[in-house]
Amino acid sequence: MPESRFHERPALLQARGLAFARNEEPIFGPLDFALHAGEVVLMEGDNGAGKTTLLRVLAGLIAPSQGEIFLNGEPLTLARLSPQLALLSHQGGLKHDLTALENLRFAAGLHGQRRGLSPVSALAAVGLDGFGEVPVRQLSAGQKKRVALARVLLAPVGLWLLDEPYANLDRSGIELVNRLLERHAHEGGAALITSHGAYAYTSGTPRRIALRPDPAGTESQGDTIVENTR
Amino acid sequence: MRPGSTRAACLALLRRDLLLVWRRRGDTLTPLLFALIVVALFPLAIGAQMETLRPIAVGVVFVATLLAGLLALDSLFRGDYEDGSLEQLVVSPHPLALLLACKIAVHWLTTALPLIALSPLLGELLFLDPALRGLLPLALALTTPLLSLIGAVCVALTVGMQRSGMLLALLVLPLYVPVLIFGAGACNAAQMGLPYLAPLLWLAAGLVLALVLAPLACAAALRISTS
């Protein structure tokens, strides 16, 4: 645990020797990394490098083939994780027949809402003021992504797992994501985000982990490639 | 009520699913029209005489209701699976089985309840014995929730597959057989003047069992489907 020397508390999320293989074919890993409160980690990798799979493993949706995940120093279970987790997946998890606000009201009912935020103000925070009554079906792909980000923002949780939060977003949207991530980290939250690297990453990210397809599947990836810019 | 509590989550889910049905209210007519057409085919095929239709009326209404329910079954988790809402339910801090029970309840309310309401008309099309006018909807009211619950488990198992419709039918129909036997059996017994309470009680017992176990099985199956 090289990272934990600098932190007194156990890492919010820690992976040790984490690997996943589907039908004997290695998808990623073995990986070692830690995510602490107040930290944003960018997971980079080409298409098919296993970013989404890794995120789903960390979200407790898939069991890893090897290795362990710890949440605040204890083995990860969905019951321990779910009250702390906001997950943004590829599909977005929005109902296209409902309006943006109806979607956020449902999310607030399901996950609760952050102190000082409401579905209306969360929508305003992602730059969709005035789009509340528009069915999600009629929004553009970038606007849908913003609604999904508003859902993440609204959840009263410390850990964000965001799969390709920059996809489909325009320049101001990318800045918005960076701003939201910075504020989340500043407030003591942590985020693990994935990107295939096509978007210039301007500010705010202290650490990067590169995921590369590793046919041998033996070399440990995470720690060797992590560059700590702090 | 605290936002984020399990009760608030269930209410939010019930509200959302009802709202979704309301936005696509035309779709709820499909199973009704299907059942109506299936029942209407019988007099056309075997002649519209009371003496041929009355003995088979109960069975035909039951089978038509069962098939119409099967038609609507695939949509139970499909939409949520495809748009990622299901993942959100899985990673929410509430018991998945309870949330799924809410979904199944809305599905039953919006697909099976209209069929029960339609059943007297379906019976009338087949010269149903007037003595069964009250018993048929009652037997259906016990049968259809059981069908929805059993069906939901099978849908949860197949939702990860593409074009699972036929497989779903093959999986579900054998499991529907005992339910059909008890439901239609109660009505047939009543028609012949025999005691009919026992099969109804069996159905009620099965329903209680399924109410407890089916959501748990659904949750386990959906966790496999989403992984």
Side-chain angles (χ1 to χ4, degrees):
Chain A
M1 286 191 281
E3 280 97 347
S4 54
R5 277 193 308 239
F6 306 108
H7 301 268
E8 284 166 12
R9 290 201 305 158
L12 183 60
L13 203 62
Q14 173 149 33
R16 263 189 238 153
L18 192 64
F20 183 76
R22 188 173 281 132
N23 304 328
E24 312 275 307
E25 195 182 328
I27 307 284
F28 68 76
L31 271 175
D32 290 283
F33 65 88
L35 178 66
H36 293 92
E39 216 175 24
V40 177
V41 169
L42 175 67
M43 189 73 62
E44 281 181 315
D46 297 336
N47 298 123
K51 302 183 297 291
T52 299
T53 312
L54 172 60
L55 219 62
R56 291 171 64 81
V57 168
L58 292 176
L61 289 168
I62 323 177
S65 325
Q66 272 176 47
E68 297 163 299
I69 314 171
F70 296 96
L71 183 74
N72 294 320
E74 293 175 66
L76 178 123
T77 60
L78 204 51
R80 285 202 190 108
L81 177 68
S82 54
Q84 310 184 32
L85 170 72
L87 174 70
L88 175 72
S89 59
H90 268 304
Q91 298 101 326
L94 300 172
K95 283 288 168 198
H96 289 191
D97 285 333
L98 301 182
T99 68
L101 264 183
E102 283 163 347
N103 268 296
L104 290 181
R105 285 200 192 106
F106 167 65
L110 191 63
H111 298 281
Q113 61 187 46
R114 194 175 285 269
R115 192 185 292 273
L117 266 185
S118 69
V120 176
S121 60
L123 209 56
V126 295
L128 285 180
D129 222 350
F131 286 90
E133 303 302 329
V134 180
V136 169
R137 179 177 302 290
Q138 293 170 19
L139 296 176
S140 73
Q143 286 171 324
K144 282 181 191 135
K145 182 69 105 186
R146 283 172 186 249
V147 178
L149 284 166
R151 174 170 59 68
V152 171
L153 184 65
L154 190 58
V157 296
L159 177 62
W160 289 1
L161 296 179
L162 312 182
D163 197 9
E164 301 282 358
Y166 299 104
N168 296 327
L169 286 177
D170 55 15
R171 190 179 291 271
S172 72
I174 292 171
E175 282 164 14
L176 168 80
V177 174
N178 286 337
R179 213 164 50 238
L180 293 178
L181 283 171
E182 262 173 60
R183 199 169 62 196
H184 182 60
H186 186 71
E187 290 169 356
L192 189 82
I193 61 179
T194 69
S195 173
H196 49 72
Y199 300 95
Y201 206 76
T202 50
S203 67
T205 304
R207 283 207 302 135
R208 294 172 180 225
I209 296 175
L211 266 187
R212 291 181 194 144
D214 180 15
T218 48
E219 204 180 330
S220 179
Q221 293 174 335
D223 271 344
T224 53
I225 308 166
V226 167
E227 54 181 86
N228 203 329
T229 55
R230 227 176 212 172
Chain B
M1 190 174 56
R2 202 162 45 84
S5 68
T6 298
R7 209 174 130 206
C10 289
L11 282 176
L13 185 60
L14 288 172
R15 213 181 116 92
R16 186 201 72 168
D17 275 13
L18 284 171
L19 197 59
L20 281 170
V21 172
W22 179 247
R23 291 281 149 85
R24 304 193 143 245
R25 47 195 178 272
D27 289 1
T28 55
L29 283 178
T30 323
L32 288 179
L33 290 173
F34 177 80
L36 193 62
I37 290 169
V38 167
V39 168
L41 289 179
F42 278 81
L44 295 174
I46 59 178
Q49 293 89 26
M50 189 191 282
E51 56 273 25
T52 50
L53 287 175
R54 181 165 282 177
I56 62 165
V58 167
V60 170
V61 172
F62 260 90
V63 172
T65 309
L66 185 149
L67 291 178
L70 185 65
L71 205 65
L73 204 56
D74 194 48
S75 66
L76 179 52
F77 300 128
R78 171 80 45 203
D80 277 1
Y81 179 77
E82 281 169 359
D83 64 22
S85 307
L86 204 56
E87 272 175 7
Q88 295 297 323
L89 296 185
V90 174
V91 300
S92 83
H94 309 292
L96 184 60
L98 198 60
L99 296 176
L100 297 178
C102 293
K103 282 196 71 69
I104 298 168
V106 171
H107 192 261
W108 178 81
L109 274 176
T110 53
T111 59
L113 203 57
L115 279 169
I116 297 173
L118 189 72
S119 65
L121 173 68
L122 297 180
E124 217 49 52
L125 287 175
L126 299 169
F127 300 106
L128 180 78
D129 194 337
L132 294 180
R133 272 186 197 143
L135 187 62
L136 180 67
L138 176 71
L140 282 174
L142 279 174
T143 310
T144 49
L146 200 49
L147 297 180
S148 291
L149 287 163
I150 295 171
V153 179
C154 298
V155 179
L157 279 171
T158 57
V159 74
M161 302 172 193
Q162 287 183 343
R163 279 183 286 167
S164 57
M166 208 57 191
L167 180 67
L168 179 66
L170 289 178
L171 206 61
V172 168
L173 286 175
L175 297 174
Y176 278 4
V177 168
V179 185
L180 180 71
I181 290 173
F182 281 118
C187 293
N188 287 330
Q191 197 167 14
M192 289 185 280
L194 297 169
Y196 56 86
L197 203 57
L200 290 183
L201 291 177
W202 272 107
L203 279 178
L207 180 55
V208 171
L209 200 67
L211 269 175
V212 177
L213 295 182
L216 293 171
C218 270
L222 278 181
R223 279 188 212 281
I224 297 170
S225 292
T226 50
S227 69

